[in-house]
Amino acid sequence: MESWVKAAGDALTKPETDLVWVEEQEPYQNLQRALAAAGVDGKDLKKVFAECLRGFAVFILTSIDGGTALAEKGRVHLVDEDGNNLGESLHDGFVGYLLESGRLR
């Protein structure tokens, strides 16, 4: 997650960043210019991306855990190579990890 935050933040705040990984460079370059003209701090942008990506990850894990309407259609269970269930409450474990590691306050 942190590498995506850095990549996205740099792509929008540092004109020298290599954009070879994006499908279309022009929208990134347009946003680079607009953000620079507005005086947007790259650190603030990275904080916003970090929060959005954390929220998205929690949503995906909550969906896998059966905590959304998707569970009415069926469930996805993550298992290891031996077929052992990796557990429920993946989203709780993820948030706990973020709190313990200082990545979430």
Side-chain angles (χ1 to χ4, degrees), residues 7-95:
D10 288 351
L12 295 177
T13 59
K14 297 180 178 179
E16 70 278 6
T17 299
D18 186 0
L19 296 175
V20 68
W21 59 275
V22 303
E23 189 172 326
E24 292 184 49
Q25 292 186 11
E26 187 176 352
Y28 287 82
Q29 293 162 342
N30 291 339
L31 284 172
Q32 282 175 357
R33 288 188 291 277
L35 293 170
V40 174
D41 187 311
K43 290 180 183 178
D44 288 338
L45 187 60
K46 288 178 182 179
K47 287 178 184 178
V48 169
F49 281 135
E51 186 169 24
C52 290
L53 289 174
R54 276 193 311 268
F56 183 65
V58 169
F59 168 75
I60 294 296
L61 293 172
T62 300
S63 296
I64 292 170
D65 286 342
T68 66
L70 180 62
E72 295 172 15
K73 303 281 185 197
R75 292 278 313 274
V76 173
H77 295 277
L78 298 180
V79 296
D80 66 14
E81 62 273 1
D82 296 322
N84 299 313
N85 191 351
L86 295 176
E88 300 293 319
S89 300
L90 295 171
H91 69 286
D92 288 332
F94 179 66
V95 171

